[in-house]
Amino acid sequence: MSVLKHACSYKVEAKDISPYLQGNFAAPLPSNVGAKYFHLKPLVLRHTDLSEVLFLDADNIPTRDPSFLFEDARYKSSGAIFWPDYWKTAPKNPIFDIFPKLNNNDWEHESGQMVTIKHKAIS
């Protein structure tokens, strides 16, 4: 209870996205780390009322106040900050058939933490 009360002082928003889901879209997708719901994260960002978003998965714990991220010059110019993930995309990933100009030696983006200015990063 005290954790939720503390989180509410930081304008934490929980969003019910079920009205936007159709068919089997809410089902987990297979991945190299088991069945996951990665594909729902952009939907949450799209339907938030917040104009600036610090998105953190439940297993992300800031070790200091993250509000300085909203003042970062790169964030203000691009509208987003992303962090690299633990691994690179496999060269045989079907995404490279869809987007052949992507560099298949880049690190993936960690989807469990991101900072966005909604109108700049999501149109």
Side-chain angles (χ1 to χ4, degrees), residues 45-118:
L45 290 172
R46 168 66 180 90
H47 291 286
T48 183
D49 296 331
L50 301 172
S51 59
E52 293 185 272
V53 179
L54 168 60
F55 183 97
L56 295 173
D57 274 354
D59 62 352
N60 280 239
I61 302 169
T63 58
R64 64 184 259 203
D65 180 353
S67 60
F68 73 95
L69 295 169
F70 293 102
E71 302 305 319
D72 185 279
R74 296 165 295 178
Y75 166 71
K76 289 187 177 241
S77 67
S78 70
I81 299 175
F82 299 98
W83 284 264
D85 206 338
Y86 184 72
W87 47 71
K88 295 182 178 186
T89 302
K92 293 187 179 200
N93 188 310
I95 193 69
F96 300 118
D97 295 334
I98 300 167
F99 299 103
K101 292 185 180 183
L102 288 178
N103 181 349
N104 67 0
N105 196 33
D106 282 343
W107 293 99
E108 291 189 14
H109 287 101
E110 166 59 49
S111 66
Q113 58 199 39
M114 62 188 93
V115 184
T116 65
I117 300 173
K118 187 175 170 181

